[in-house]
Amino acid sequence: LDPFYASIILFVGRAWDAITDPMVGFFISKTSWTRFGRLMPWIIFSTPFAVISYFLIWFVPDFSRGQVMWYLVFYCTFQTLVTCFHVPYSALTMFISREQSERDSATAYRMTVEVLGTVLGTAIQGQIVGKVVTPCIESPLFIGKTNSSVAMEELNMTHDTGSLTDTRNAYMIAAGVIGGLYILCAMILSVGVREKRESSELQSDEPVSFFQGLKLVMNHGAYIKLIAGFLFTSLAFMVCWRLPGALRTGSQGARHWGRRWPHARAPIASSPSREQRQLSATLTIPLWQWFLTRFGKKTAVYVGISSAIPFLIMVAVLDSNLIVTYIVAVAAGISVAAAFLLPWSMLPDVIDDFKLQHPDSHGHEAIFFSFYVFFTKFTSGVSLGISTLSLDFAGYQTRGCSQPSEVNFTLKMLVSAVPVGLILLGLLLFKLYPIDEEKRRKNKKALQDLREESNSSSESDNTELASIV
């Protein structure tokens, strides 16, 4: 597909997410309790359909006209089914314990394994697809041209069709393997995790409409500030992280980019160093878990996320070599771990604060998590859309052995200036986030007092009822 149409598919899919994420969160909040729990049935029943739709995303239909609609339909379907998995999966944190320390620990474990899963998925697809060499297309038409879609279409008619067939098959094999892992992990989750009914507060005393619940959640100031900061900091790292997806056109093309543009071999924009970054993030999540318990979550956010800025500047300023590559990869991984662990560990604190301000309104936890999941996926799609559109405007040619000089400048901006600006904006928004460690301790004590008061009131009612009987 042309990069423009790929970007349209991504943007439309994220717009569809804006509808499905809060709707799924609302429907989950109204789900009755079953012997599997309230959240687990959503995970179990969405899994097989999500795997099928994921496989069809990578399948290339025989017809040439209508391919854009094919990928748009199955991409939106897959996003909806992933929402049915990811929202209850994320919300499980609130329903396996009421203790803040236990929820923080569970969040740290969850994010550690999620990053490991990303490393595993990257390695599987990279190894399977990387074995297929798709030759680049040599042509003087590429040099100095910024709008050569017609030329590309003509040249693509003469490329090695057998190589492209092998590439298609490799992507489908990788999709099948990853889909199998998806099913395996869902089975382990459903067998190994149990919701505690006493920890669940999904059932409301009075039914609340979708728009009433949405209005309450979106009017909570701490939540808005948190997701705004989370949005910009996540987008900063995703712009760098998703860039290889816009550039990867086969192993030969990747090697050529590494030779022609040294900065494209920087850790955030190359496959081997990306795995280094992900492994670094995995190993440092326990460090950030200790840091936030020792110094507080807001301090950990400032230190962890801002530490990426000097290394992002190094990507644009210094010519890359092996030592610089590994240094920046490790540093980027440390910052990525902080950027994705800390906002998720802060979300339960926001929900506790909401409960104190609205003690008579229950059952909105899934809505909180649904919007958080939406912004996670939204940043992923927007970042890839920004990368592909920017490179398209700069004159990037798919599978081209030669690229215009403007592409080099665009790459430098995408891996340095743009992320730094987004990080600074995100940290400014985190500065406005009102829940510090002192407020968090006060909220914890206030919630314990409310529960004790509720329990004593319930015991008193039971005693009175027994005496009447």
Side-chain angles (χ1 to χ4, degrees), residues 101-310:
S101 59
E102 292 180 355
R103 292 187 316 219
D104 290 343
S105 178
T107 300
Y109 278 107
R110 178 170 70 87
M111 297 308 298
T112 300
V113 177
E114 280 193 14
V115 176
L116 280 174
T118 306
V119 174
L120 182 62
T122 302
I124 290 173
Q125 182 148 324
Q127 289 297 317
I128 295 175
V129 177
K131 292 180 180 179
V132 180
V133 177
T134 303
C136 60
I137 302 174
E138 292 282 5
S139 174
L141 292 173
F142 292 154
I143 302 175
K145 298 197 67 155
T146 59
N147 186 13
S148 56
S149 299
V150 176
M152 275 299 303
E153 184 176 352
E154 293 175 353
L155 288 167
N156 280 334
M157 298 297 293
T158 62
H159 72 270
D160 187 357
T161 56
S163 178
L164 274 185
T165 300
D166 293 339
T167 302
R168 294 173 181 177
N169 294 335
Y171 273 108
M172 286 190 289
I173 292 172
V177 174
I178 293 175
L181 288 175
Y182 192 124
I183 295 175
L184 175 63
C185 293
M187 292 174 59
I188 294 174
L189 177 67
S190 61
V191 172
V193 178
R194 286 288 178 269
E195 299 172 58
K196 295 181 180 179
R197 192 161 191 171
E198 63 273 13
S199 296
S200 174
E201 297 179 2
L202 284 173
Q203 187 63 39
S204 302
D205 297 331
E206 297 181 0
V208 178
S209 70
F210 170 75
F211 292 104
Q212 287 177 326
L214 185 62
K215 183 179 179 181
L216 283 172
V217 170
M218 299 309 293
N219 282 338
H220 191 57
Y223 183 62
I224 296 300
K225 294 180 178 67
L226 180 61
I227 60 175
F230 178 54
L231 171 65
F232 286 104
T233 54
S234 298
L235 185 59
F237 289 103
M238 283 291 186
V239 166
C240 305
W241 199 331
R242 295 294 181 181
L243 188 59
L247 303 180
R248 191 171 295 114
T249 58
S251 57
Q252 180 178 346
R255 288 194 297 268
H256 174 82
W257 273 78
R259 292 192 301 268
R260 183 169 177 84
W261 285 284
H263 294 289
R265 292 184 284 121
I268 303 180
S270 65
S271 181
S273 51
R274 182 176 64 171
E275 294 176 1
Q276 293 287 336
R277 184 192 68 243
Q278 292 166 343
L279 289 173
S280 172
T282 303
L283 296 175
T284 52
I285 285 177
L287 170 65
W288 289 117
Q289 176 65 19
W290 169 83
F291 193 96
L292 68 87
T293 57
R294 179 68 177 82
F295 300 101
K297 296 180 181 180
K298 289 189 69 173
T299 303
V301 166
Y302 299 144
V303 174
I305 297 178
S306 62
S307 63
I309 293 177

Side-chain angles (χ1 to χ4, degrees), residues 2-51:
D2 185 271
F4 174 78
Y5 291 114
S7 301
I8 293 298
I9 292 172
L10 290 170
F11 281 120
V12 172
R14 300 310 172 180
W16 176 250
D17 261 349
I19 301 173
T20 58
D21 280 331
M23 289 295 292
V24 168
F26 176 75
F27 289 137
I28 290 174
S29 69
K30 298 303 178 184
T31 301
S32 301
W33 185 272
T34 68
R35 64 190 184 95
F36 299 106
R38 283 190 177 123
L39 306 177
M40 201 61 69
W42 287 82
I43 295 174
I44 295 172
F45 291 112
S46 67
T47 293
F49 300 104
V51 171

Side-chain angles (χ1 to χ4, degrees), residues 345-363:
S345 68
M346 296 160 79
L347 180 57
D349 302 334
V350 171
I351 298 176
D352 287 343
D353 186 68
F354 177 85
K355 290 178 181 178
L356 287 175
Q357 294 187 22
H358 304 86
D360 298 326
S361 183
H362 306 294

Side-chain angles (χ1 to χ4, degrees), residues 410-430:
T410 302
L411 281 172
K412 290 181 180 181
M413 295 297 101
L414 289 175
V415 300
S416 58
V418 173
V420 168
L422 291 171
I423 286 175
L424 293 175
L425 181 57
L427 291 176
L428 176 63
L429 292 170
F430 276 122

